[in-house]
């Protein structure tokens, strides 16, 4: 899977740095929005750096970076927590300095400690959600949404027209939405924000609170405050109950939520959406020759962030980088249909290769990209992200029983648990669940004083028959070796159509691999007990 390397990178070569916290978004001297990030290294402690605000969909607290590249397989710090809040507005907004230091220590850095968090009390625990993480999970699934969130009436710039005809919502996107992001999933998401009064109010409150604070601090020059940075805040609506699947860390009765993996409990205003986008054309076929243009670049290449870019080029067909998705579930699941008014002619004959022009097949090459806002005449090709998947309420993310089992395991065995959720590689029918969403996989690292082991669990929302894997490294294998083996296992899984490839299992000579079968009548407790017996 393609990856994004952050440049510039202020840490020594091959030194690992963990993303531990978000600071404030701020305007630089050129008027471009940026976001402060706090990284922690063993050698330097916490260091605050900044990157373009449009990079935020790619970032998660707990990610481990080396030479600017995020390790996509290495489990991130934290355990799975599943909880339900009665309503958004029942939370208490406070700041990070109110968190126990055993959860996170900002070292008296006001930029970090003054960031807002929302505290919810449920089932005897206090869940602390960073405001910026809640905003990311609800709204920022792409670079363009990140920038329009920080503009007055930014949402209106993305929608050309929206009206009801009977029970059908007609929803026309503007050409500001990249063609590759004019998808059913994004239409459900954007139309929900635009059409639901409570969600629309929550969206608007992000900019209104930030600009209001800037005016309060600098009545005659609010831009001066925006250049310093303002901690994000939101107005919480009386909307609920809301269900969350998260990754977090716990100290006594406090849980710091580092990532919202899935969020649900919403009702979409419409059950049927008819949408239009300038790129949606009715295709007509003819028997002429197909013209194939060879240009630099590759759909599967890795990307390097150009941090010196003033603005990205305007490009409706920009590259899209897939990242770990936030799953959003609606109580209803709107059917999306596309209105196609104009015609696109396509040929079905022989391929004829030409060496000039744009588009077509690509030759392999690395690519420098920008996550800055796009303007006509920009200096660097843009890149956007696809990070949100909407699924019906009947279709959980497929890992809920596994998360419950891990929580039970934590209470039974004295281990340090780190977890990461990734998507299985694309390319086969097994990669996609019945509803069209990509299948996910949980990788859990269990560490005690004596050893470290890994659990690999593939999501089974369709009750697919596939065993849980327990991986025990041998000969003190480095994590790079373990990572390579896990990647090979997942690639082999997909190529085998959803079954562990015995040939690949045998090739992982650095790991002792044991399969644990799923039994249909297993309770979560029975499943946990069987895994615990295997781990001893």
């Amino acid at each position: 899977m393609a990856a994004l390397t952050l440049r510039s990178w202020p840490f020594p070569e091959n030194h690992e740095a963990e993303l531990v916290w978000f600071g404030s978004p701020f305007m630089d001297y050129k008027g471009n929005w940026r976001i402060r990030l706090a990284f922690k290294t063993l050698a330097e402690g916490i260091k605050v750096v900044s990157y373009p605000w449009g990079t935020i969909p790619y970032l998660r607290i707990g990610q481990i970076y080396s030479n600017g590249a995020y390790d996509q397989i290495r489990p991130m710090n934290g355990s799975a927590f599943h909880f339900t809040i009665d309503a958004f507005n029942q939370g208490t907004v406070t700041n990070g300095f109110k968190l126990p230091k055993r959860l996170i220590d900002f070292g008296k850095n006001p930029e970090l400690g003054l960031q807002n968090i929302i505290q919810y009390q449920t089932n005897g625990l206090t869940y602390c959600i960073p405001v910026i993480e809640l905003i990311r999970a609800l709204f920022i699934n792409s670079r363009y949404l990140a920038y329009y969130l920080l503009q007055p009436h930014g949402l209106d710039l993305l929608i050309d027209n929206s009206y009801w005809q009977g029970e059908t919502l007609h929803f026309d996107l503007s050409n500001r939405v990249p063609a590759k992001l004019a998808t059913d999933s994004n239409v459900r998401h954007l139309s929900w924000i635009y059409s639901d009064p409570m969600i629309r109010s929550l969206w608007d409150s992000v900019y209104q609170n930030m600009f209001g604070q800037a005016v309060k601090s600098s009545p005659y020059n609010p831009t001066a405050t925006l250049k310093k940075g303002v901690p994000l805040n939101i107005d919480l609506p009386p909307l609920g109950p809301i269900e969350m699947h998260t990754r977090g860390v716990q100290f006594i009765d406090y849980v710091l939520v580092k990532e919202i993996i899935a969020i649900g409990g919403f009702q979409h205003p419409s059950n049927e959406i008819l949408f239009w986008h300038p790129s949606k054309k009715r295709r007509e076929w003819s028997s002429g020759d197909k013209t194939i243009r060879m240009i630099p670049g590759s759909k599967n290449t890795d990307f390097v962030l150009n941090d010196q870019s003033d603005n990205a080029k305007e490009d409706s067909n920009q590259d899209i980088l897939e990242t770990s998705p936030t799953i959003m579930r609606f109580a209803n699941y709107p059917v999306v249909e596309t209105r196609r008014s104009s015609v696109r002619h396509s040929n079905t004959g022989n391929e004829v290769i030409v060496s000039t022009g744009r588009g077509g097949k690509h030759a392999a090459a690395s690519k420098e990209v920008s996550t800055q806002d796009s303007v006509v005449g920009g200096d660097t090709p843009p890149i956007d992200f696809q990070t949100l998947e909407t699924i019906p309420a009947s279709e959980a993310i497929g890992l809920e029983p596994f998360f419950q089992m891990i929580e039970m395991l934590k209470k039974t065995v004295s281990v340090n648990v780190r977890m990461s959720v990734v998507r299985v590689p694309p390319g086969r029918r097994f990669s996609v669940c019945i509803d069209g969403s990509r299948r996910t996989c949980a990788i859990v690292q269990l560490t005690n004083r004596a050893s470290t082991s890994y659990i690999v669990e593939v999501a089974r929302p369709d009750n697919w028959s596939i065993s849980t894997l327990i991986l025990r490294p041998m000969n003190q294998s480095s994590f790079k070796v373990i990572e390579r083996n896990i990647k090979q296992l997942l690639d082999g899984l997909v190529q085998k159509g959803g079954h562990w490839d015995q040939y690949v299992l045998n090739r992982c000579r650095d790991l002792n691999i044991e399969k644990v079968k799923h039994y249909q009548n297993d309770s979560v407790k029975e499943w946990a007990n069987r895994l615990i017996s295997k781990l001893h």
Side-chain angles (χ1 to χ4, degrees), residues 263-330:
I263 185 168
F266 305 111
Q267 180 79 26
H268 198 287
S270 174
N271 288 318
E272 185 175 340
I273 304 169
L274 183 63
F275 96 97
W276 175 85
H277 183 267
S279 66
K280 301 300 180 182
K281 298 179 179 180
R282 180 165 44 86
R283 191 180 292 268
E284 290 188 358
W285 303 94
S286 61
S287 58
D289 291 337
K290 290 188 292 185
T291 299
I292 305 298
R293 297 182 176 90
M294 304 299 294
I295 63 171
S298 170
K299 291 181 179 179
N300 296 316
T301 192
D302 288 340
F303 301 96
V304 176
L305 181 70
N306 178 1
D307 193 31
Q308 305 304 313
S309 169
D310 289 338
N311 293 102
K313 294 179 181 178
E314 191 72 28
D315 184 359
S316 61
N317 292 298
Q318 61 197 41
D319 286 306
I320 302 295
L321 178 63
E322 290 189 348
T323 70
S324 297
T326 300
I327 308 295
M328 183 166 290
R329 290 180 287 168
F330 296 105

Side-chain angles (χ1 to χ4, degrees), residues 155-196:
L155 192 62
D156 294 317
L157 300 176
L158 301 175
I159 288 90
D160 278 347
N161 199 6
S162 178
Y163 62 93
W164 293 88
Q165 193 170 54
E167 297 184 355
T168 301
L169 174 63
H170 290 248
F171 197 68
D172 295 356
L173 300 178
S174 76
N175 58 11
R176 292 183 177 89
V177 177
K180 290 183 180 179
L181 291 180
T183 63
D184 290 2
S185 181
N186 275 329
V187 166
R188 289 189 190 95
H189 183 226
L190 265 178
S191 61
W192 170 66
I193 300 172
Y194 192 80
S195 304
D196 188 302

Side-chain angles (χ1 to χ4, degrees), residues 487-507:
K487 287 181 178 178
Q488 290 177 351
L489 287 169
L490 293 179
D491 285 338
L493 168 73
V494 171
Q495 295 304 317
K496 272 284 187 178
H499 303 283
W500 298 117
D501 189 328
Q502 190 60 49
Y503 174 74
V504 177
L505 292 171
N506 295 339
R507 286 182 57 192

Side-chain angles (χ1 to χ4, degrees), residues 77-79 410 413-418 444-448 453:
N77 181 269
S79 302
K410 282 171 50 185
V413 183
S414 179
V415 290
N416 179 38
V417 178
R418 293 162 68 97
V444 177
Q445 182 189 60
L446 304 175
T447 305
N448 58 26
S453 55

